[in-house]
């Protein structure tokens, strides 16, 4: 018999041939007798057994498993806990107008105080997950860098009578989880802390452990008086967490309070950082990718991959990050490590979040003296697409053709750009964007732009790191600014490695910076009086544009024209 056959009829014929070779079964009628039914049952049973064996083998390994519960189980064997759903985070300053009769120097913004914003019939709710003190400053109470989480703050109480405490809500944000234990009649309670590294644990530590169970919810366990102190049976375990909303509020940049704070109702909210980081629970492919890398780090940061794996594990609101040594930095800095991260639903981080990342990494670093978290630099690829559109060779109008090409460009950006170490391949771009457009040939011209926020009225340094070889004489300014020089025209150009401001009064042009055509670094030192940002556009030697370190590629100005 050919045991590799899985076709029903082929397998049945093999089984009949096998039986016919036995003298006792040679005279049977295999088409019309009861034995035909028995053979069908044997074939069906063979299929069931083969399928079960295949599934058991497949689900026994992290790389091949398809069922989430099995993938999660394998990941946990590698000391990795897959991320739960994550609530959007917003950082705000809260200003509370005091009245004339105020005598308090401090008022408390309570834990669970709510804020909201309604957009297109969808309400987004944010809450404080801890209390904050607002300090009297002039005629107002001010609380700075208040962290708000999107969702509802839930508090559950359990009587400890089992070794496991199960949180049944599937939308819980585990990063907001807090666990307290108290005696039934006590007025105080002990806070337990999540422990990820058992090497630092002893039997008296107030530790808890959390993991995703087979039902897709989360289970809390204690140290069983070995890896931490366990509650006594009958103790009260209080669990607080945020339940995430279905729609993430990433990008939301305004919000209002729901109610008064200690009878003060004149409240102003200044958003320090727009909402970011909201995401669904980690999918299977992401778990398969990150779990082995977390295991590889062994709870220490030595290589660049170690830093990336630890950051992605510790900070669930981060979409992607890149790490490089100071020797590979645009401006060499020995003994340092540089990190740039991109949040889910956002473009950067406040200083407080950067400091949090640095402090967390200090627990893992080995041999590095300085950790620097820097903002991502957005480089915009400006594209002129010139097509050979001919209306007598297509049923599509020109506007429909433009729409299809524009949609293809957007998909190309989603698939290839806006990630660290992304690449723009001109040939692939040209082939991808003409799909379904009835255009068979195009010409693509590109330039790249970077923007830099302006410091008004002070001589400041503006460094641009394009990370590609540049064409001499291609630099130009692409934003409206007014320099401190008394000139009729604000025009920049480059020549022989220097950047000049054009002087139209017959005087010598003014040197304001340098340009390195090999490394793609442009450094300007000048005083700007007016304008929002200084935008510099250059052309690259190669039609293929690369990014490294903290540079992210996006499409900027895109035009689609007839040839």
């Amino acid at each position: 018999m050919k045991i590799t056959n899985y076709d029903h009829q082929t397998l049945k014929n093999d089984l009949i041939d096998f039986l016919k070779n036995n003298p006792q079964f040679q005279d049977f009628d295999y088409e019309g007798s009861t034995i035909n039914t028995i053979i069908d049952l044997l074939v069906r049973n063979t299929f069931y057994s083969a399928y079960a064996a295949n599934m058991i083998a497949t689900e026994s390994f992290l790389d091949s498993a398809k069922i989430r519960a099995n993938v999660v189980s394998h990941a946990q064997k590698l000391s990795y806990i897959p991320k739960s759903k994550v609530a959007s985070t917003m950082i705000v300053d809260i200003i509370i107008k005091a009245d004339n009769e105020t005598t308090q120097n401090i008022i408390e913004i309570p834990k669970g105080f709510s804020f909201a914003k309604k957009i297109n019939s969808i309400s987004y709710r944010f809450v404080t997950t801890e209390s904050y003190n607002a300090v009297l400053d002039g005629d107002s109470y001010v609380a700075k860098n208040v962290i708000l989480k999107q969702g509802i703050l839930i508090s559950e109480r359990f009587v400890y009578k089992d070794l496991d405490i199960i949180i049944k809500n599937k939308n819980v944000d585990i990063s907001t989880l807090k666990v307290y234990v108290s005696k039934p009649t006590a007025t105080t309670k002990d806070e337990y802390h999540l422990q990820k590294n058992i090497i630092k644990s002893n039997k008296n530590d107030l530790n808890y452990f959390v993991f995703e169970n087979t039902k897709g919810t989360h289970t809390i366990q204690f140290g069983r008086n070995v890896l931490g102190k366990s509650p006594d049976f009958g103790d009260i375990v209080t669990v607080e967490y945020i339940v995430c909303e279905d729609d993430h509020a990433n990008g939301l940049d305004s919000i209002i309070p729901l109610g008064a704070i200690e009878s003060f109702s004149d409240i102003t909210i200044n958003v320090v950082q727009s909402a970011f980081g909201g995401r669904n629970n980690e999918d299977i492919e992401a778990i398969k990718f990150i779990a082995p890398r977390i295991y590889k780090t062994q709870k220490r940061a030595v290589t660049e991959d170690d830093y990336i794996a630890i950051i992605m594990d510790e900070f669930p609101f981060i979409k992607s990050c890149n790490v490089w040594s100071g020797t590979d930095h645009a401006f060499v800095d020995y003994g340092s490590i540089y990190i740039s991260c991109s949040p889910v639903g956002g473009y950067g981080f406040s200083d407080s979040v950067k400091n949090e990342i640095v402090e967390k990494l200090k627990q893992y670093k080995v041999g590095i003296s300085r950790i620097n978290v820097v903002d991502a630099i957005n480089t915009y690829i400006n594209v002129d697409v010139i097509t050979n559109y001919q209306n007598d060779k297509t049923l599509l109008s020109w506007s429909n053709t433009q729409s299809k090409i524009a949609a293809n460009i957007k998909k190309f950006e989603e698939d290839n750009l806006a990630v660290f170490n992304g690449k723009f391949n001109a040939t692939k771009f040209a082939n991808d964007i003409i799909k379904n457009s009835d255009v068979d040939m195009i010409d693509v011209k590109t330039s790249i732009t970077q923007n830099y926020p302006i410091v008004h009225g002070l001589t400041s340094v503006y460094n641009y790191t394009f990370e590609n070889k540049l064409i001499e004489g291609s630099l130009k300014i692409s934003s409206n600014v007014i320099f401190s020089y008394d000139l009729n025209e604000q025009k920049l150009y480059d020549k022989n490695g220097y950047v000049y401001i054009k002087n139209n009064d017959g005087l010598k042009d003014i040197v304001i910076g340098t340009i390195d055509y090999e490394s793609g670094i442009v450094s300007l030192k000048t005083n700007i009086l007016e304008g929002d940002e200084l935008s510099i556009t250059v052309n690259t030697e190669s039609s293929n544009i690369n990014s490294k370190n903290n540079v992210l590629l996006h499409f900027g100005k895109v035009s689609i024209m007839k040839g």
Side-chain angles (χ1 to χ4, degrees), residues 369-502:
S369 59
R370 293 181 300 277
I371 300 173
N372 305 284
V373 179
V374 297
D375 290 323
I377 297 174
N378 294 311
T379 296
Y380 298 93
I381 304 173
N382 308 305
V383 182
D384 292 331
V385 178
I386 304 170
T387 74
N388 69 334
Y389 174 81
Q390 300 176 50
N391 58 8
D392 59 336
K393 293 185 178 181
T394 178
L395 297 176
L396 296 176
S397 66
W398 170 239
S399 61
N400 287 337
T401 300
Q402 281 182 306
S403 297
K404 287 184 176 294
I405 293 175
N408 290 337
I409 291 174
K410 183 177 180 181
K411 186 177 187 306
F412 182 91
E413 181 175 27
E414 292 173 350
D415 293 343
N416 300 278
L417 306 182
V419 294
F420 292 105
N421 299 314
K423 295 182 179 181
F424 172 82
N425 184 292
T427 302
K428 185 177 188 303
F429 174 76
N431 291 332
D432 285 359
I433 67 172
I434 62 175
K435 292 177 180 177
N436 304 317
S437 66
D438 287 352
V439 172
D440 56 15
M441 188 173 65
I442 64 170
D443 184 25
V444 178
K445 297 180 180 180
T446 61
S447 62
I448 54 178
T449 299
Q450 283 185 8
N451 307 319
Y452 210 109
I454 289 173
V455 179
H456 295 105
L458 295 174
T459 299
S460 303
V461 175
Y462 301 89
N463 291 320
Y464 299 81
T465 53
F466 290 102
E467 303 290 3
N468 288 269
K469 292 183 179 181
L470 307 180
I471 296 176
E472 183 175 353
S474 66
L475 184 144
K476 62 182 179 181
I477 187 172
S478 49
S479 58
N480 295 319
V481 299
I482 297 178
F483 295 92
S484 61
Y485 309 102
D486 187 14
L487 301 172
N488 294 328
E489 186 180 7
Q490 313 290 317
K491 182 179 179 181
L492 298 187
Y493 72 95
D494 71 281
K495 184 178 180 182
N496 297 327
Y498 292 95
V499 180
Y500 299 85
I501 293 184
K502 185 72 175 176

Side-chain angles (χ1 to χ4, degrees), residues 270-287:
N270 293 333
V271 176
V272 176
Q273 182 163 2
S274 300
F276 67 93
R279 65 188 302 172
N280 293 326
N281 61 346
E282 197 167 19
D283 61 38
I284 289 175
E285 292 305 316
I287 297 171

Side-chain angles (χ1 to χ4, degrees), residues 87-111:
S88 293
T89 301
M90 181 183 287
I91 302 175
V92 301
D93 291 341
I94 301 177
I95 302 170
I96 305 165
K97 184 74 172 177
D99 56 38
N100 295 330
E101 300 177 356
T102 239
T103 58
Q104 299 170 267
N105 290 323
I106 296 175
I107 62 173
E108 182 182 73
I109 302 170
K111 177 196 294 187

Side-chain angles (χ1 to χ4, degrees), residues 1-15 17 43 46-47 50:
M1 291 181 63
K2 296 180 180 179
I3 61 173
T4 57
N5 283 329
Y6 286 103
D7 176 72
H8 181 277
Q9 192 59 46
T10 302
L11 191 58
K12 183 176 180 179
N13 292 338
D14 285 346
L15 190 58
D17 291 340
V43 170
T46 301
F47 273 108

